[in-house]
Amino acid sequence: ISHVLLCNVTQRVSFWFVVTDPSKNHTLPAVEIQSAIRMNRNRINNAFFLNDQTLEFLKIPSTLAPPTDPSVPIWIIIFSVIFCIVIVAVMLLILSGIRQRRRKSKGPSEVDDTEDKCENMITIENGIACDPLDTKGGHINDAFMTEDERLTPL
Amino acid sequence: MEKARPLWANPLQFVFACISYAVGLGNVWRFPYLCQMYGGGSFLVPYVIMLIVEGMPLLYLELAVGQRMRQGSIGAWRTISPYLGGVGLASVVVSFFLSTYYNIINAWAFWYLFHSFQEPLPWAVCPLNDNRTGYDEECEKASSTQYFWYRKTLNISPSIQDSGRVQWEPALCLILAWLVVYLCILRGTETTGKVVYFTALLPYCVLIVYLVRGLTLHGAINGLVYMFTPKLEQLANPKAWINAATQIFFSLGLGFGSLIAFASYNEPSNNCQKHAVIVSLINSSTSIFASIVTFSIYGFKATFNYESCLDKVILLLTNSFDLEDGFLTASNLEQVKGYLASAFPDKYSEVLPQMKNCSLQSELATAVQGTGLSFIVYTEAIKNMEVSQLWSVLYFFMLLMLGIGSMLGNTAAILTPLTDSKVISSHLPKEAISGLVCLVNCVIGLVFTMESGNYWFDIFNDYAATLSLLLIVLVETVAVCYVYGLRRFEGDLKAMTGCTLSWYWKAMWAGVSPLLIVSLFLFYLSDYILTGTLQYQAWDAAQGQLVTKDYPPYALAVIGLLVAASIMCIPLVALGTFVRRCLKRGDTPPVA
């Protein structure tokens, strides 16, 4: 198949064409040509250095390239990472809270209950690990100063 | 007091907690809309006036009450008067409703954040239809960002009656959102105090980055000019003043009990007057700052759409009339259109219906608020920027910080009364109480992940808090000034903090603010009654746009229940206390 005849050439580079079969001396049916063009669209585009947007075949809608679809959607990967981090952090905080409470309940019971609780509340809340202070009988510095603050407000 | 109350490690944590609670999504997506609707630059006049007259005094009142009573909302109001414990209970109920529906926004922000790590962004392109010859029909009719929001994120049903199933993707994000909130409130002020440094400061960093980027975008200036051109005639519109008052009121988060809860963890000597002024000023300036960013992005988006529209018209005309490429430009478009209309009238009239009328003003005038602004309009602007993944990640990260900051306040309002009550805190440790509250809220929140979830979200958003809060704050102000006694409260504050109450605060608390709240309340009530039946916006997939529908009766019943549940607490608890006192007085004979 080598004979391509042009007709109805317009100013804006558009044309009709038919493809003839020299051996049989008739034009090939449009349907065959359309399906052939559809299959080889890429080659025809490249021959003209054009693409689907710039070279249009009337009545042949171009098939669009589907967006890439990875096997596992990306968002699930990121979600799982963040989810695991948060669960681990929650577990750590809960466990450290349980451990602190267990240490507090094992502490000396002869010390005054309320003062012990407050001093523990304050030491925990201020983030100061003052567990050694529990075991000593006396309470120095932190407990004394906060007690002072409680008794004499401004 | 038996055991010392947990305290903020330093006053800065308290200020940051209040800022991160007050500066929330409303500053980003409601204030720019109001500014645009009610006169641009001139809206700032009623806004600032309302801030000084209503915002600062009421904020100071709540912080002072919390700091003085050193208890959560229920205990604090019960101390003021035993009959007013209902006010605290109403605050807790409203906070409970709020936290149920607010966290779904964080879930959506997570969803968009996780989807931002793709090239191209999933809301930038439409998916293809079945035979791959064109784009999906719904996406064609609407836009790709709307399609992603309504179809991929919400999978929204055509009306509130079609509930559909629970969507597992948003449900997963909701569970994650609640886990993050639980992580932050797990140990009370100890963990919350550290988290608020981030939730208060990071949004500002992102806003500054966005400001720089926004102002350098092409066409940003159009948006800024459009917004800030003052339309002085709007000052005469009473709706502008009412909306300014409402915005100040709800933006500061008054009446939920969160501010009382935060202030109760303060040192009694803390200067809460200074803090109240600082927090309200920062909240309002953040609103204005965020609207500058929003409008520069609007301007960019509108200019981009306008220019694409012009390009399409140019292409259409070039193709139909076989014109030379490059002959038609934006500047000579009108001239050439006129020439073509006169030279080839029949062909022109054929082409005319396909030609869209491109107008920059109409692009700018699309005023959007709420979730539509963040998830549709902003994403549309972001997809056209360079390195859109980075901007998208930054933006949704900022939304997350703002949302989680507000959630911390909401959950504090619920948890503080619970941990204060000796009955509950003696049986369960703090972590278990927080866990239970988060679990219950999460399970109820799964309703919003159903296909009709967004319609229920709108119901909660519009009706759960509005009327109830106005009433709660009104009762609060009246209670402090007249039931507890303004002079007595003044004496308490002086003993506590050492600073005297100026005449300004006294005048505002006793007179102006209650009057303002009453007028707001009456206005809203009359508005609801006059509109008759309530309506909502439903997404029509066939047309690709929103349509208005009426609420079915059971939805109206839910609305009524929401409003009644919180308001009824006040009289019911007062009645209950009264009855209990009468019975007690009846049991013990009076001593002679």
Side-chain angles (χ1 to χ4, degrees):
Chain A
I1 300 173
S2 55
H3 289 225
V4 179
L5 304 168
L6 303 175
C7 51
N8 261 6
V9 177
T10 61
Q11 257 187 338
R12 275 196 79 228
V13 196
S14 72
F15 47 85
W16 294 82
F17 66 94
V18 295
V19 183
T20 58
D21 190 355
S23 56
K24 300 207 183 99
N25 211 17
H26 66 81
T27 60
L28 292 164
V31 185
E32 275 184 37
I33 307 290
Q34 277 177 358
S35 55
I37 293 179
R38 202 181 256 134
M39 300 249 240
N40 296 300
R41 194 61 190 269
N42 228 9
R43 283 174 59 197
I44 302 176
N45 282 348
N46 282 336
F48 288 102
F49 291 109
L50 296 170
N51 55 27
D52 276 357
Q53 267 79 42
T54 39
L55 177 62
E56 186 191 358
F57 288 89
L58 295 173
K59 289 197 218 150
I60 304 182
S62 52
T63 55
L64 301 163
T68 52
D69 215 1
S71 51
V72 179
I74 299 183
W75 77 271
I76 290 196
I77 301 176
I78 306 178
F79 169 82
S80 330
V81 167
I82 307 264
F83 194 76
C84 293
I85 295 179
V86 171
I87 294 250
V88 165
V90 167
M91 289 287 130
L92 280 177
L93 274 182
I94 294 183
L95 286 173
S96 69
I98 295 180
R99 214 174 331 130
Q100 265 171 352
R101 223 185 307 270
R102 212 167 286 162
R103 216 174 300 158
K104 191 171 47 163
S105 59
K106 268 193 252 155
S109 46
E110 66 264 16
V111 186
D112 188 23
D113 233 20
T114 52
E115 273 185 50
D116 190 31
K117 271 200 217 128
C118 328
E119 181 249 354
N120 274 321
M121 285 295 303
I122 294 169
T123 51
I124 290 170
E125 292 305 322
N126 278 346
I128 305 171
C130 285
D131 295 329
L133 278 180
D134 278 354
T135 53
K136 290 193 195 162
H139 304 293
I140 31 175
N141 287 347
D142 296 6
F144 180 73
M145 279 211 320
T146 42
E147 203 181 324
D148 212 25
E149 264 186 302
R150 269 194 307 118
L151 292 177
T152 55
L154 280 166
Chain B
M1 241 178 298
E2 311 77 30
K3 67 176 184 198
R5 198 173 174 74
L7 298 171
W8 297 108
N10 55 49
L12 197 61
Q13 281 188 358
F14 166 64
V15 176
F16 276 170
C18 290
I19 290 178
S20 101
Y21 168 66
V23 173
L25 296 167
N27 301 63
V28 169
W29 70 30
R30 175 118 176 111
F31 181 78
Y33 169 77
L34 288 177
C35 219
Q36 185 178 0
M37 294 299 287
Y38 293 110
S42 56
F43 182 71
L44 292 177
V45 171
Y47 188 69
V48 170
I49 292 180
M50 287 299 162
L51 171 68
I52 298 178
V53 162
E54 180 199 0
M56 282 190 213
L58 290 175
L59 182 63
Y60 182 26
L61 181 71
E62 287 223 356
L63 291 183
V65 166
Q67 194 170 304
R68 165 73 186 84
M69 303 302 162
R70 310 203 79 211
Q71 293 180 74
S73 49
I74 299 184
W77 294 107
R78 211 181 311 153
T79 316
I80 291 211
S81 156
Y83 295 104
L84 285 180
V87 175
L89 189 61
S91 293
V92 171
V93 170
V94 173
S95 289
F96 178 72
F97 289 149
L98 184 77
S99 57
T100 313
Y101 81 79
Y102 201 83
N103 221 10
I104 192 75
I105 305 177
N106 288 334
W108 290 331
F110 267 122
W111 168 266
Y112 270 80
L113 180 67
F114 295 149
H115 275 91
S116 308
F117 291 96
Q118 293 174 14
E119 168 63 38
L121 289 172
W123 52 83
V125 287
C126 276
L128 301 175
N129 61 14
D130 288 325
N131 56 4
R132 302 236 184 113
T133 52
Y135 296 115
D136 184 284
E137 204 184 307
E138 191 182 347
C139 196
E140 286 275 298
K141 295 230 175 73
S143 67
S144 55
T145 46
Q146 280 182 316
Y147 177 79
F148 188 75
W149 169 242
Y150 285 113
R151 191 52 48 212
K152 285 292 167 70
T153 311
L154 299 174
N155 196 16
I156 204 164
S157 60
S159 74
I160 199 171
Q161 284 98 323
D162 315 315
S163 321
R165 304 180 334 267
V166 170
Q167 311 293 307
W168 64 271
E169 298 103 335
L172 276 182
C173 293
L174 181 67
I175 295 177
L176 177 64
W178 273 110
L179 275 175
V180 170
V181 170
Y182 181 51
L183 177 67
C184 299
I185 60 172
L186 188 47
R187 291 255 274 266
T189 51
E190 181 193 338
T191 42
T192 310
K194 309 264 184 338
V195 170
V196 292
Y197 283 120
F198 293 105
T199 57
L201 291 176
L202 277 178
Y204 287 102
C205 299
V206 176
L207 273 176
I208 291 176
V209 170
Y210 252 93
L211 182 72
V212 173
R213 173 77 265 223
L215 289 177
T216 53
L217 284 171
H218 164 66
I221 202 76
N222 295 333
L224 286 175
V225 162
Y226 180 78
M227 167 173 154
F228 283 113
T229 338
K231 304 182 192 64
L232 289 169
E233 64 275 5
Q234 285 287 346
L235 280 179
N237 182 4
K239 278 205 150 207
W241 293 85
I242 289 173
N243 274 303
T246 316
Q247 174 62 10
I248 291 275
F249 189 87
F250 292 119
S251 172
L252 285 173
L254 302 165
F256 285 103
S258 315
L259 295 165
I260 297 184
F262 281 154
S264 68
Y265 297 120
N266 265 340
E267 299 269 353
S269 55
N270 184 42
N271 185 358
C272 52
Q273 177 181 315
K274 186 170 65 159
H275 290 153
V277 173
I278 292 176
V279 168
S280 47
L281 281 177
I282 290 184
N283 183 45
S284 296
S285 20
T286 309
S287 291
I288 300 176
F289 184 42
S291 57
I292 297 180
V293 174
T294 302
F295 273 91
S296 46
I297 306 263
Y298 260 170
F300 164 69
K301 173 185 98 74
T303 312
F304 186 89
N305 285 345
Y306 173 64
E307 287 176 358
S308 321
C309 177
L310 280 181
D311 283 339
K312 281 206 198 95
V313 172
I314 290 175
L315 185 65
L316 178 66
L317 285 176
T318 315
N319 276 341
S320 325
F321 291 96
D322 278 340
L323 298 169
E324 192 187 315
D325 243 348
F327 175 66
L328 263 182
T329 61
S331 36
N332 65 5
L333 182 62
E334 288 303 312
Q335 275 180 298
V336 175
K337 267 164 74 173
Y339 163 71
L340 286 173
S342 51
F344 310 99
D346 340 301
K347 206 166 184 190
Y348 191 76
S349 49
E350 270 176 41
V351 174
L352 195 58
Q354 298 171 37
M355 266 192 343
K356 273 185 70 188
N357 225 357
C358 300
S359 151
L360 185 59
Q361 287 295 101
S362 65
E363 291 280 342
L364 283 171
T366 52
V368 195
Q369 60 162 333
T371 49
L373 172 59
S374 291
F375 297 114
I376 301 180
V377 172
Y378 250 86
T379 46
E380 196 180 325
I382 289 175
K383 78 172 200 247
N384 296 323
M385 297 186 197
E386 289 105 46
V387 201
S388 38
Q389 282 79 9
L390 170 68
W391 300 109
S392 178
V393 167
L394 272 181
Y395 179 67
F396 290 110
F397 188 65
M398 174 186 81
L399 277 192
L400 262 177
M401 289 290 110
L402 290 172
I404 290 186
S406 302
M407 279 305 293
L408 295 180
N410 290 332
T411 44
I414 305 175
L415 283 177
T416 310
L418 288 179
T419 47
D420 282 347
S421 115
K422 295 174 232 356
V423 168
I424 300 180
S425 58
S426 52
H427 288 158
L428 291 170
K430 209 183 339 178
E431 288 90 342
I433 303 179
S434 331
L436 263 167
V437 170
C438 290
L439 186 66
V440 169
N441 275 319
C442 187
V443 167
I444 300 181
L446 285 176
V447 169
F448 302 112
T449 58
M450 291 195 305
E451 287 180 23
S452 58
N454 195 37
Y455 302 129
W456 290 106
F457 173 81
D458 282 334
I459 285 186
F460 271 71
N461 195 19
D462 291 336
Y463 302 108
T466 32
L467 274 181
S468 334
L469 278 183
L470 288 170
L471 194 65
I472 290 176
V473 175
L474 179 66
V475 176
E476 284 184 4
T477 326
V478 165
V480 169
C481 291
Y482 300 109
V483 176
Y484 189 73
L486 190 54
R487 231 173 280 264
R488 187 170 154 205
F489 195 60
E490 189 185 348
D492 285 346
L493 280 182
K494 184 150 186 184
M496 206 170 58
T497 62
C499 46
T500 41
L501 208 56
S502 88
W503 63 268
Y504 176 72
W505 300 116
K506 284 191 272 195
M508 290 296 129
W509 288 352
V512 181
S513 301
L515 282 173
L516 249 169
I517 301 175
V518 169
S519 48
L520 275 181
F521 187 73
L522 287 175
F523 167 76
Y524 273 107
L525 213 53
S526 55
D527 200 43
Y528 285 148
I529 296 175
L530 285 174
T531 22
T533 166
L534 299 167
Q535 295 179 317
Y536 69 105
Q537 303 278 81
W539 177 252
D540 188 341
Q543 292 179 43
Q545 58 182 25
L546 292 166
V547 292
T548 319
K549 291 196 179 164
D550 286 335
Y551 276 125
Y554 65 87
L556 292 174
V558 168
I559 295 178
L561 246 161
L562 278 178
V563 177
S566 42
I567 293 187
M568 282 295 123
C569 288
I570 306 180
L572 282 178
V573 170
L575 195 64
T577 324
F578 180 67
V579 165
R580 207 166 350 125
R581 280 207 162 171
C582 277
L583 289 176
K584 219 188 295 177
R585 218 172 293 148
D587 283 344
T588 59
V591 180

